[in-house]
Amino acid sequence: MAAVLLAGMAAGTINAVVGSGTLITFPTLLAFGVAPVTANVSNTIGLVPGVASGVVGYRRELVGQRGRAVRLGSAAVLGGVVGAGLLLVLPAGAFRAIVPALIVVGLVLVVLQPRISRRVGAQHDDAAGDAGPWWVWPAVFGTGVYGGYFGAAQGVILIGILGIAITDTLQRLNGLKNVLAGLVNGVAGLIFIVVAHVDWTVVALIATGSVVGGQLGATVGRKLSPVVLRVVIVVVGLAALTSFLLR
């Protein structure tokens, strides 16, 4: 119980800063004998309060982003519904083949984001509004599908997409990323509560730890420079990639 609680705290911290906390909690649950699907379901529900805690911690960076949060939030919710449904109907491991590719794409986007943003910024369609060009919505939807199914490194992919598509500071985009990831986890969690087997002891432990971690992550993350934050994202993303390749 202590190990799961600490894993939840670490995951909440990482989710607020980057968005790969599942790489801490999921392996921990498997190590203590929780069945994979039950671990995934319980972990998703347990991390929802932690993500919400991170959103509150980044509330200053969210000022003025209501329009883009609503527009892209609809894509996140729909994607989360589809992803949760896939987890319940597809064989376990059906997405394993594409997970490494998704993580690599996210890392490339994060690393190249400053250069690419300068080149494509002038090409952004003004009609697209504050939420970026037309392709951002389906990209967020696709990430939501992935996040609803498993969720590890969902934040890495989201921050890469947002960083290229939307002209804003990385800290503000990180706050928006927390909102979108929270919507995906939230809607998937609601579906799992209704139709899946949930280990509520695991949920309670992860939820308690992740709420504390969310505040720690928001405090630490806000103080990081864009360069340091980008390095943190890349390091966690590489850890995610290694974890999946070694499974």
Side-chain angles (χ1 to χ4, degrees), residues 62-237:
L62 289 169
V63 173
Q65 298 198 75
R66 177 176 297 179
R68 66 171 61 144
V70 170
R71 179 179 174 183
L72 298 180
S74 63
V77 168
L78 291 175
V81 170
V82 173
L86 290 174
L87 176 66
L88 298 173
V89 301
L90 291 178
F95 273 23
R96 187 180 186 278
I98 68 169
V99 167
L102 290 174
I103 297 174
V104 169
V105 169
L107 292 177
V108 171
L109 292 175
V110 170
V111 172
L112 299 181
Q113 181 262 322
R115 179 178 299 179
I116 297 176
S117 293
R118 287 194 296 269
R119 293 193 175 186
V120 304
Q123 303 175 18
H124 284 181
D125 185 358
D126 291 338
D130 198 35
W134 67 268
W135 57 265
V136 181
W137 198 97
V140 172
F141 170 79
T143 306
V145 173
Y146 166 61
Y149 185 86
F150 186 55
Q154 175 186 191
V156 173
I157 300 171
L158 277 174
I159 200 68
I161 293 170
L162 298 176
I164 286 180
I166 300 175
T167 303
D168 210 331
T169 67
L170 191 59
Q171 294 289 3
R172 281 172 55 81
L173 295 180
N174 198 46
L176 178 61
K177 175 267 294 178
N178 288 340
V179 172
L180 299 178
L183 290 173
V184 172
N185 280 16
V187 69
L190 288 175
I191 293 173
F192 295 153
I193 289 173
V194 175
V195 299
H197 174 67
V198 180
D199 187 325
W200 289 106
T201 301
V202 167
V203 169
L205 291 170
I206 292 179
T208 302
S210 65
V211 167
V212 177
Q215 291 301 302
L216 292 174
T219 302
V220 173
R222 186 183 291 109
K223 295 179 179 179
L224 294 176
S225 71
V227 173
V228 173
L229 182 56
R230 193 168 284 110
V231 169
V232 172
I233 293 171
V234 170
V235 169
V236 175

